[in-house]
Amino acid sequence: MSKIEDLAEKIEQLLLRHQEVLRSQRLLEQQVSTLTLERNHLRSRVQAARLRIDALINELPQSNDTTDHETN
C-alpha cells in the first residue's frame, strides 16, 4: 500500500472510532439524565417521608421529664 492509502485507511478508522465515541457519549448523557431524574424523584419522596414523620412525631403525646413509677 502507498502512504496515501495507509493514511486514508487510518483516517477512515479514526472516523469510525469518532462515531463510536459520539454514540457512547450520547448513551452516557441519556443515562445521566435518567439517573438525575430518578435521584430528584427519590429526593422528593424522602422529603415527603420526612414531613410525614415530623407530622407523626408532633402528634405524639409530650412526655414528662420525670417518669411516674408505681410504688408497691
Side-chain angles (χ1 to χ4, degrees):
M1 288 186 130
S2 71
K3 288 184 179 183
I4 292 179
E5 289 172 338
D6 288 343
L7 184 59
E9 183 177 329
K10 287 183 181 184
I11 290 172
E12 188 64 34
Q13 290 173 354
L14 283 172
L15 287 172
L16 289 173
R17 181 66 183 137
H18 178 68
Q19 290 172 349
E20 290 173 9
V21 168
L22 288 177
R23 193 169 30 253
S24 294
Q25 181 182 0
R26 282 192 297 274
L27 289 172
L28 289 171
E29 287 171 349
Q30 289 174 350
Q31 288 177 346
V32 167
S33 178
T34 299
L35 291 172
T36 299
L37 289 172
E38 183 179 348
R39 181 201 63 198
N40 291 342
H41 175 70
L42 290 172
R43 281 182 174 173
S44 175
R45 290 182 62 192
V46 167
Q47 181 62 26
R50 282 184 181 140
L51 291 173
R52 288 192 304 272
I53 290 171
D54 288 343
L56 289 172
I57 289 172
N58 288 333
E59 291 179 15
L60 291 174
Q62 296 295 323
S63 63
N64 295 334
D65 290 339
T66 58
T67 306
D68 293 331
H69 294 284
E70 289 184 24
T71 56
N72 290 328

